[in-house]
Amino acid sequence: MALNYVWISFFLISFVVALVKLIFFHDYQIFQTIVNSTFEMSKTGAEISLGLVGLMTFWLGIMKIGEKGGMINIFAKIVGPFFSKIFPEVPKNHPALGSILMNFSANMLGLDNAATPLGLKAMKELQEINPDKDTASNAQIMFLVLNASSLVLIPTSIMAFRQTAGAADPSDIFIPCLLGTFFSTLVGLVVTSIYQRINLFQKTILIYLGSAIIFIGGLLFYFSTLPQDQLSIVSNVVGNVLLFSIIISFITLALFRKINVFETFIEGAKEGFEIAVKIIPYLVGILVAVGVLRGSGTLDFLVNGIGYIVGALGFDTRFVPALPVAFMKPLSGSGARGLMVELMNTTGADSFASRVACVIQGSTETTFYVLAIYFGSVSIKKTRHALPAALMAELAGVIAAIIVSYLFFG
């Protein structure tokens, strides 16, 4: 329901802003720009969905092998004690727990191509135990909010863009991005737990979270000692070696248990094709609304207004030029990336605003895209508290990114 109101508001707000620009600023092309945006984003939404067909077909085939071979159950047992506390609705050792773990792992390693199919697989498995099929369950909301809180540990692509833009030290945003991601995910977990009345001070949760913090801290320390050229290579090699090792472990265990691997793969692959096609209308709908909002110039009005207020209050306004990235990121990942690159090209890769934009890009996620594609894949219509919880995590990521940027870059 919340997503419904947001979708409608995008069109209505864009219409009002366009009328203002037409009447008071004589922008006679504004409605043409908006209409062109609807065509462009409709095409983009369909292309993205169809582009997922191959990935979904392959990865859900692999997941089916892991499920029948028993490897998913092994993963589920590893995280079972922790996940049973934050996903109390999910039965012990349910395959969905393993899928959730693999999705989180792929996200943290920056393996987007693998993360989305794994996430859709997890959402489908959670839907199977959802008693109300058109309403998001607590488990589905917790999974989505954590997924939308930006779990990436290594912002390789952002560092690559900074290097291309001529940054003196492209990796200087590495630790700030990780800190921003940490606060975003933590707020997402806390807010959703409050909504769902989950006690986070349970011994099991504290042990797992403490272990995760120590592990992430160790990774942070290790990667912070590597020079930029080695950092990108090591992160890429580690991520892909782990990913392919998972594939091999799935196949090996299935062979050991005398499972017909190829037939099992085909069985799962068929599911992947069906899901990829099913999400097309949901994705097209949200992306068209995003295109209309951007084409109308609403984001420009919003940023200029915030800049005026911040300046009038006597605060530093150097971060304001980076705000379009913050506003665009929940709506469109590629749009936010384009704004980040444009800002680096116009103000320099090492300008304060550019660094803030990069940290925001690495600390936030495409919330509306995630909601549309994940809930759309299982035909969820009533999203309950998913959107407000995800947006609060997003806001925490933006605020943390700005504060951390001032701490690291002055």
Side-chain angles (χ1 to χ4, degrees):
M1 187 64 69
L3 192 58
N4 173 55
Y5 291 134
V6 169
W7 191 77
I8 294 172
S9 67
F10 280 7
F11 283 94
L12 295 180
I13 292 172
S14 298
F15 180 70
V16 172
V17 171
L19 278 180
V20 170
K21 295 180 77 172
L22 175 64
I23 295 172
F24 294 101
F25 299 96
H26 306 296
D27 186 349
Y28 301 114
Q29 300 298 317
I30 184 62
F31 280 97
Q32 180 65 52
T33 301
I34 292 176
V35 171
N36 287 342
S37 294
T38 65
F39 297 147
E40 178 186 346
M41 298 309 286
S42 296
K43 179 182 177 182
T44 300
E47 288 174 347
I48 291 175
S49 299
L50 293 175
L52 284 173
V53 170
L55 290 170
M56 290 295 301
T57 299
F58 174 74
W59 278 105
L60 292 198
I62 292 295
M63 288 295 290
K64 182 63 71 173
I65 294 173
E67 182 180 333
K68 287 196 172 183
M71 187 60 75
I72 295 296
N73 288 333
I74 293 175
F75 287 154
K77 288 180 181 179
I78 293 173
V79 299
F82 175 68
F83 279 5
S84 66
K85 301 299 183 182
I86 63 173
F87 297 104
E89 299 175 353
V90 181
K92 185 178 180 181
N93 297 329
H94 192 277
L97 299 177
S99 300
I100 291 171
L101 174 64
M102 292 189 62
N103 168 262
F104 287 170
S105 299
N107 270 320
M108 285 189 288
L109 293 169
L111 304 171
D112 297 337
N113 289 341
T116 299
L118 295 173
L120 292 173
K121 174 68 172 175
M123 187 62 74
K124 182 176 181 293
E125 290 169 339
L126 291 173
Q127 180 71 350
E128 292 172 359
I129 57 176
N130 182 8
D132 191 350
K133 299 302 181 184
D134 68 343
T135 302
S137 66
N138 282 347
Q140 287 174 315
I141 292 173
M142 177 65 81
F143 169 62
L144 186 140
V145 171
L146 293 179
N147 203 286
S149 66
S150 181
L151 292 165
V152 178
L153 288 177
I154 308 168
T156 307
S157 61
I158 299 175
M159 292 187 290
F161 280 118
R162 283 183 52 73
Q163 187 171 32
T164 302
D169 181 8
S171 63
D172 60 5
I173 50 86
F174 174 53
I175 293 179
C177 282
L178 284 168
L179 291 173
T181 294
F182 172 78
F183 286 108
S184 175
T185 303
L186 183 62
V187 169
L189 176 62
V190 171
V191 169
T192 308
S193 296
I194 292 173
Y195 269 113
Q196 299 179 5
R197 299 182 179 179
I198 296 173
N199 179 16
L200 292 178
F201 293 99
Q202 302 175 65
K203 182 179 178 181
T204 301
I205 293 179
L206 293 177
I207 290 175
Y208 271 83
L209 286 179
S211 300
I213 291 172
I214 293 173
F215 175 72
I216 291 172
L219 282 180
L220 279 173
F221 176 76
Y222 171 68
F223 282 115
S224 66
T225 63
L226 296 176
Q228 166 61 26
D229 54 346
Q230 292 185 27
L231 178 60
S232 299
I233 294 173
V234 171
S235 63
N236 183 59
V237 170
V238 169
N240 286 292
V241 167
L242 287 177
L243 188 62
F244 196 66
S245 297
I246 290 173
I247 295 173
I248 296 300
S249 68
F250 281 16
I251 294 173
T252 302
L253 187 57
L255 281 172
F256 179 76
R257 297 190 173 181
K258 298 181 180 179
I259 302 293
N260 189 318
V261 177
F262 189 70
E263 286 187 5
T264 303
F265 172 83
I266 296 301
E267 180 185 346
K270 290 178 181 178
E271 297 177 10
F273 179 81
E274 293 170 359
I275 292 175
V277 173
K278 192 174 183 178
I279 65 176
I280 292 177
Y282 295 91
L283 193 55
V284 169
I286 196 66
L287 288 183
V288 167
V290 169
V292 167
L293 192 71
R294 183 170 55 182
S296 67
T298 302
L299 289 178
D300 293 333
F301 277 116
L302 188 59
V303 171
N304 292 336
I306 291 176
Y308 175 80
I309 293 172
V310 171
L313 293 173
F315 294 113
D316 184 66
T317 60
R318 287 182 299 153
F319 72 92
V320 173
L323 289 181
V325 175
F327 294 134
M328 182 57 65
K329 187 62 184 288
L331 309 174
S332 169
S334 59
R337 190 181 304 113
L339 291 172
M340 178 189 74
V341 172
E342 181 182 13
L343 185 61
M344 287 194 290
N345 289 337
T346 55
T347 66
D350 290 327
S351 70
F352 182 77
S354 293
R355 282 170 163 159
V356 173
C358 290
V359 178
I360 290 174
Q361 178 78 359
S363 305
T364 54
E365 188 52 91
T366 50
T367 301
F368 289 99
Y369 170 84
V370 172
L371 260 70
I373 195 171
Y374 278 40
F375 282 150
S377 68
V378 291
S379 301
I380 291 289
K381 297 179 177 63
K382 300 175 183 178
T383 61
R384 300 172 59 212
H385 53 275
L387 182 59
L391 288 179
M392 279 189 266
E394 189 89 18
L395 178 61
V398 172
I399 294 174
I402 294 172
I403 293 174
V404 168
S405 294
Y406 273 101
L407 291 175
F408 277 78
F409 310 121

